[in-house]
Each structure stands twice: as structure tokens, then as C-alpha cells.
Amino acid sequence: MKKIMMMAVVAFATSTAFAQDVVKQILGAKSADEALTLIQPALSGLNNEDKAKVYNKVVDLALSKVSDIDQQIATNKISGKQEPYDTVGYNNALIQALKYGFECEKYDQLPNAKGKVKPKFRKSNSDRLQAVRTQLINVGLDAYNSHNLKRAFEVFSMYSDSKGSSLFENVDFSKDQYFGQVSYYAALAAYQNKDYKAAEKYADVAMQDAEMAKDAEEIKIFCLKENTKTAADSVKYLNTIKEMHAQNPSNERYFGLLMEYYGSPGHQAELQQFIKDEIARDPNNKMVWALKGETEMNDRKWDDAIASYKKSIAIDPEFVQVLFNIGICLNSKALEFKDQVADKMGRLTNENMDKFKGMLEESKTYMEKCKNIDPDHEKVNWPYPLYQIYYILYGDNDSRTQELKAISGM
């Protein structure tokens, strides 16, 4: 038994000696990259104190590189030279400094070999890494503007997460004017990279900033939309939009998302109830009258649709999409009337022809309003229906018809 115990002691001593050799080797590294290459295979054999020590060395080496390049930049300014410096290396060193400062803190706050918690590096790292944290904002923006979403997210999320780290437990983050914006960009980068879980997480953080809350809410909603896989997901998505809409009834984005949801197959009854509730809540909402008109238009209830649309433009006389839809409803109503009253040869009595042309004249009025408001027809494609009206009312040889014929590509 004694012999076995002696062998165990020898093995432990050998292991400890090996670990110390590795630590010594890491502490002798000349660069952060070299140190990290040595740490990775040896990490599992090190105790908490040694892990904190070697990661602190990475911070030392990364900051040393930052300092060297800062000195080069300062020298260039003094001498007036424009010698290039290692921008990529500089940015990487800033990232390494903060990233492995957190790794050092992770082990530095754990019990040592004697079971005591005595952080050795927290104070010094907290002091020297606060400036690095701020510098990382530009690193993240450079990555984002270069469409390197993975790197942008890494940097922005690290900045955001640092607020909750024990490394900065004595820092007053209430003075951090960038926190909400950076958290928002972390959410945006994650969303664009289709990491919706992370995007929602950082959107929640950014929503705590009053200035960023509105934009962050939109990211959260779009994340919920992308993650709608089950009936329960759909209910969660709908309830969130409804809540956001209730809080911000003037926000057309939320209203539009509700329209999109209720307008999808299987939600017709809910859509009608939504319209009814919205009109009762705010009868001066041009969008809900437009929505009501659209549902009636889809059901070919031309008069009802026109009446609803007119309530919308009474609120906003230049709501060009609604003006266009009124013109289309009147046009469709006229053509239906013609089909109903024409004889077998397609001819109309003088009285019915006057009624038919009267409807087209009214339709023309709305289409011409669209032409005046949207001359380049970027919002609505008024040229073709207006050409059809001119063709019927004035004939093909009329100059107005020919002008519309050219514009509409006929």
C-alpha cells in the first residue's frame, strides 16, 4: 500500500512539474498567437491559478502589440509620414486582449489550490481593458461595413456582454452612451447572419435603451417571424405584434405585419374582427380604412370598397395607393356594368353608354390624381389603366391616348 501511495505521489509530482514547464514555456511566448497555440493542448492539465496566469499573459502580449502599433501611428503623425501599419493585426490584438481578459477572469475568480478565491489579475485587467473595450466599437463597425457579419457580431456581442462580467464589476456603466447602440448592432449582425436566437437576445438588451428600443423591437419581431414553426410559435408571434401595435398604434410597420398575418389563408374571420376593432379604436386611421377597402375590393364589392377607400383619402388626400385602387374599382365596376347591360352583339343603349362612360370619367379623375402625385409611377402603375380609359373615352388617335400609349409601353 505504501509503495502504491509513493508511486501516486511521484506521478503527481511529475504531472505538476510538466504543468509548470508548460506554464513557463507559455510565459516565455513572444506573441499572443504563440501563447494561444501552446495553451490549447495543455489547458486541461493546468490548475485554475495557472490558467488565469497564462491567459493574463495573452492579454499582456496582445496589449503590447497594440502599444507598439500606437507608437508607430504617433511617430508617423510627428514625422508627417504616411507609412502603413498592420490594421488587421491591430484589430485582432484588441479583440484578443478583451476576449482573453474575460478568460483570465473566468479562472481568476475560481478557488485556488488551497480552496481560496483570491483574484490576482482583476484590478489590473479591469483598469487597462476599459479603453480597449471602447476601441472595439470601431473594430466592429469596420467589420460590419465590410460585410464581415461573423466578426462584427463577435465584437459587438463581446462589448455588450462585458457589462455583466465580474471583470468590470466596479465600472459605472450608466455613463456608457454606446451600450444600447452596440447591443442593437450585435442583434442586427446576428439577424443578418440568420442567427435568430442571438439576434433576439441582443435585441432584448438594446430595447432597454430608450433611443434604440423602437429599432430593436423590430428586430425581435422579425426574429419571431423567422422562427414561426409551430402553432404555439404563431400565437407567440401574433401576441407580440399585437402588444407592440397597442403600445405604438401609429407605427405602420406593426400594423403592416398584422395585416400580413391576418391576410394569410385561414385568417379571414380574424381579419374582419381586427378591422372592426381598429375602426372602433381609431376611426381616423387611414390604414385601417384602406385595409377594409382592400378586403371589399378582393370580394368584388366595388361600392363598399370605394366608400371605405374614400374615408381613407379623406384623412390623407395624397394616399396614392388608395387613389389608384378607387380608380381600379370604378374601372372594374364600369366593365361589369357594361357586360351586364350589353346586348348579344356587345352594344349599349345611349343611356347605358352614358352611365358606362360616366363611371370611366370618375375613374379617370382618380388615375389623373395618381399621375400628378406619382408622375414617374414609382408607387403605382397608373399609365396602363389610364391609357385604357383614354382609349375608350377619346379614341386611339387622340394625343392624350397616344401619350399614355407610349408611357405604358403599348
Side-chain angles (χ1 to χ4, degrees):
M1 176 67 72
K2 187 174 181 180
K3 184 176 182 181
I4 293 175
M5 290 181 64
M6 287 296 295
M7 290 175 63
V9 169
V10 171
F12 174 77
T14 303
S15 175
T16 301
F18 175 76
Q20 291 308 308
D21 286 344
V22 171
V23 170
K24 185 176 180 180
Q25 191 177 5
I26 294 169
L27 295 179
K30 302 300 182 182
S31 71
D33 289 337
E34 180 188 349
L36 288 168
T37 300
L38 295 169
I39 290 172
Q40 191 59 39
L43 191 63
S44 61
L46 305 181
N47 61 35
N48 292 333
E49 288 180 274
D50 287 338
K51 289 175 182 177
K53 187 183 297 184
V54 295
Y55 278 125
N56 190 67
K57 180 62 178 180
V58 175
V59 177
D60 290 341
L61 293 168
L63 289 178
S64 177
K65 182 164 187 174
V66 170
S67 179
D68 289 346
I69 296 177
D70 280 338
Q71 183 61 46
Q72 180 187 348
I73 295 171
T75 301
N76 285 347
K77 287 183 178 180
I78 294 172
S79 64
K81 295 180 180 180
Q82 297 296 323
E83 293 182 2
Y85 65 92
D86 184 4
T87 306
V88 174
Y90 187 77
N91 290 346
N92 285 342
L94 287 170
I95 292 170
Q96 286 177 330
L98 190 58
K99 180 177 180 179
Y100 293 104
F102 291 141
E103 285 297 301
C104 174
E105 172 66 13
K106 181 169 74 175
Y107 296 109
D108 199 26
Q109 64 179 333
L110 294 177
N112 58 25
K114 297 181 180 179
K116 304 291 184 180
V117 177
K118 294 183 177 181
K120 293 182 179 179
F121 306 106
R122 178 179 296 169
K123 178 64 170 64
S124 61
N125 281 340
S126 179
D127 291 342
R128 62 182 180 166
L129 291 177
Q130 288 182 55
V132 170
R133 178 176 179 271
T134 303
Q135 286 177 280
L136 280 179
I137 296 175
N138 289 330
V139 178
L141 288 174
D142 286 344
Y144 185 82
N145 292 331
S146 301
H147 308 291
N148 188 344
L149 297 176
K150 184 177 179 181
R151 170 54 66 90
F153 173 72
E154 176 189 14
V155 175
F156 290 141
S157 62
M158 190 189 307
Y159 183 99
S160 181
D161 291 342
S162 64
K163 184 177 180 179
S165 172
S166 57
L167 181 62
F168 297 124
E169 63 181 7
N170 293 321
V171 176
D172 182 5
F173 282 101
S174 66
K175 298 178 181 179
D176 185 351
Q177 59 182 314
Y178 304 111
F179 183 74
Q181 296 178 54
V182 174
S183 299
Y184 167 76
Y185 275 104
L188 186 60
Y191 178 79
Q192 292 176 335
N193 211 29
K194 301 186 185 304
D195 186 351
Y196 302 122
K197 183 176 181 180
E200 188 174 352
K201 171 187 172 182
Y202 290 99
D204 282 335
V205 176
M207 283 169 61
Q208 298 172 24
D209 184 318
E211 292 184 5
M212 303 307 303
K214 182 178 177 181
D215 293 332
E217 283 174 357
E218 293 189 357
I219 290 181
K220 183 172 181 178
I221 286 175
F222 288 127
C223 288
L224 289 172
K225 183 179 179 182
E226 294 292 343
N227 284 324
T228 300
K229 309 296 182 186
T230 66
D233 293 336
S234 295
V235 171
K236 181 181 179 182
Y237 170 64
L238 175 60
N239 287 338
T240 301
I241 304 175
K242 288 169 69 176
E243 181 181 347
M244 297 299 185
H245 175 60
Q247 294 172 356
N248 303 278
S250 62
N251 188 316
E252 293 184 3
R253 177 66 64 83
Y254 301 144
F255 185 87
L257 289 170
L258 285 169
M259 286 172 55
E260 180 184 342
Y261 179 87
Y262 287 127
S264 61
H267 297 288
Q268 288 78 7
E270 293 173 272
L271 175 60
Q272 293 303 322
Q273 186 61 49
F274 172 70
I275 292 171
K276 183 178 179 180
D277 293 342
E278 285 295 301
I279 291 175
R281 185 187 62 80
D282 181 10
N284 293 315
N285 183 346
K286 68 176 184 178
M287 295 301 296
V288 72
W289 286 113
L291 176 59
K292 187 173 186 293
E294 184 178 336
T295 61
E296 292 161 341
M297 184 178 177
N298 290 337
D299 290 337
R300 307 182 71 84
K301 297 177 180 178
W302 310 122
D303 288 333
D304 291 341
I306 292 167
S308 295
Y309 282 140
K310 285 185 176 180
K311 289 186 177 181
S312 181
I313 60 168
I315 300 166
D316 181 0
E318 294 198 350
F319 196 165
V320 68
Q321 292 87 347
V322 169
L323 291 167
F324 178 79
N325 283 351
I326 294 176
I328 293 296
C329 286
L330 288 164
N331 204 341
S332 301
K333 179 182 176 181
L335 294 174
E336 278 193 5
F337 171 77
K338 179 184 177 183
D339 290 340
Q340 290 169 1
V341 300
D343 62 20
K344 293 181 179 180
M345 300 298 292
R347 296 170 298 192
L348 300 179
T349 64
N350 290 338
E351 181 182 358
N352 285 336
M353 178 59 77
D354 288 341
K355 290 181 179 179
F356 172 63
K357 288 187 175 181
M359 295 178 198
L360 291 181
E361 286 283 356
E362 190 177 0
S363 176
K364 176 175 74 77
T365 300
Y366 286 95
M367 288 300 174
E368 287 177 340
K369 286 181 180 179
C370 293
K371 179 182 178 182
N372 292 332
I373 296 171
D374 183 29
D376 296 323
H377 45 94
E378 295 176 343
K379 296 180 179 178
V380 292
N381 186 25
W382 52 262
Y384 181 68
L386 188 55
Y387 161 75
Q388 288 182 310
I389 294 170
Y390 281 0
Y391 183 87
I392 295 172
L393 294 178
Y394 309 130
D396 188 43
N397 293 326
D398 188 273
S399 60
R400 290 166 291 185
T401 309
Q402 289 298 312
E403 179 187 1
L404 265 295
K405 186 176 184 178
I407 295 174
S408 62
M410 293 297 296

